[in-house]
Structure formats: structure tokens, C-alpha cells
Amino acid sequence: MLESRVALHWIPLGAGDGSHSVRWNGRVFEMLSARHRHRPPCDLYHSALIVHSDGVRYTIEMAPEWTGSGNRGVVCTGPVGLRGLGRSPWFRYEIRRWQDGTIPDLAEEHVTRVDVATDPERARRLLDLAPTFPTATWGRDEQGAGEMWNSNSLISWLLVSSGHDISTVHVPARGRAPGWDAGVVVARRQTTLPIHDQPASAP
């Protein structure tokens, strides 16, 4: 039987951004958030998956539409910032379930890999669920989940909805993954599969 594998990768926010604007804006956001919550600032991470199923390798991530070209396994898209802005590719994200695809940011330093326990059925279910991801507006809380919707929401939603145990999936030390809990909350509302605890959150 072919082995099934699911690997989550924690990628430092701003990896691969030559302009450094993403990293800088993220630091400002985290500084304000930390001050508001009376806690020390954390390092921010976003996440992506590499899934091996039935002998085939897939990459799964959320990325800005304008950063892609050619066949990249896009299965759905959603708006960024404001729903009306989503009519423009400059304000649209895409969900990529890309067979033999690449995630350039994985070549950056300080990327942390976490292997998630899986089996053939759950790995296939995860891949099948990608086109059904709730494409709410990136950066907003249209779902009433308590925090913004983003790439971390995609990954946690897929893992929980497909029945994976994420109780051992922790963000790196002194790190935080905004949006992770939102994906878990929404998945819990929708799934009838067994639900496990959801670390990954930081202070």
C-alpha cells in the first residue's frame, strides 16, 4: 500500500518578500495586537501543507492571485480586504491544490515542519475538501469566529474537517498563527467527524 503523509510547514511571515513590506506590516500589526492584549509581541507565521496520497504529491496553500502564473492547481478564490474588491485580481486570493507543485517560501530559513498523523482515507478527504473551503474575505471575520480569516484558517479548517488530530500541532516557540483558531471554529460547526483539541495558538 502506498504511504500517505501530511506535513504542515510553519513559514515566517514575510518569507520570500523582497520588498520586506509584508514582514514590516506584520510586525506593526503584531505590536499593536500585543499592546492591546497586554502581552509580549510574538513572531508571526503562516502555514501550508504538503500531502502525499496514492503515490502523488500535492502542495496546498493560500496565495495572492497576482503572484501566480500558468497551471498552479487553483480550486477556488476569494476576496481580500473587502468583498467588493475581489472583482480585481489584485485583491483576490486563491486556494492551490497543486499536484507536484512548489511553495517557494519553503526554501527560506526558519521554516518548521510538523508531520501530522494521517491515513489514506483522511489524506484523500483533505484533498477532496480543498475546493469546498469557505472563501470568506481575507483579513476579516465574516464568519463570526473571533479572528481574521487567512491562510492559517485554510490549513486548520482542512485538517479538522478531514478528521486529523491537531492536538500536537504547535506553532514554533515565541510564535503566533493568527487565523488558525478561526478555521478550527468554522470546521467544528460544519463537521460530523470526531474533533480534537487545537493547540497551534500562542498567547
Side-chain angles (χ1 to χ4, degrees), residues 69-118:
S69 61
N71 179 17
R72 53 194 184 274
V74 177
V75 293
C76 56
T77 64
V80 171
L82 293 171
R83 185 155 292 276
L85 294 175
R87 289 188 291 269
S88 166
W90 293 99
F91 293 94
R92 208 158 50 227
Y93 66 79
E94 58 189 28
I95 306 304
R96 301 173 184 171
R97 184 192 59 191
W98 190 358
Q99 181 174 332
D100 298 321
T102 60
I103 303 176
D105 291 351
L106 295 188
E108 297 289 323
E109 293 184 2
H110 310 302
V111 172
T112 301
R113 168 177 166 163
V114 178
D115 291 318
V116 182
T118 192

Side-chain angles (χ1 to χ4, degrees), residues 172-190:
R174 297 181 298 280
R176 196 166 75 87
W180 179 271
D181 290 346
V184 174
V185 167
V186 173
R188 283 179 165 176
R189 292 174 185 165
Q190 299 173 334

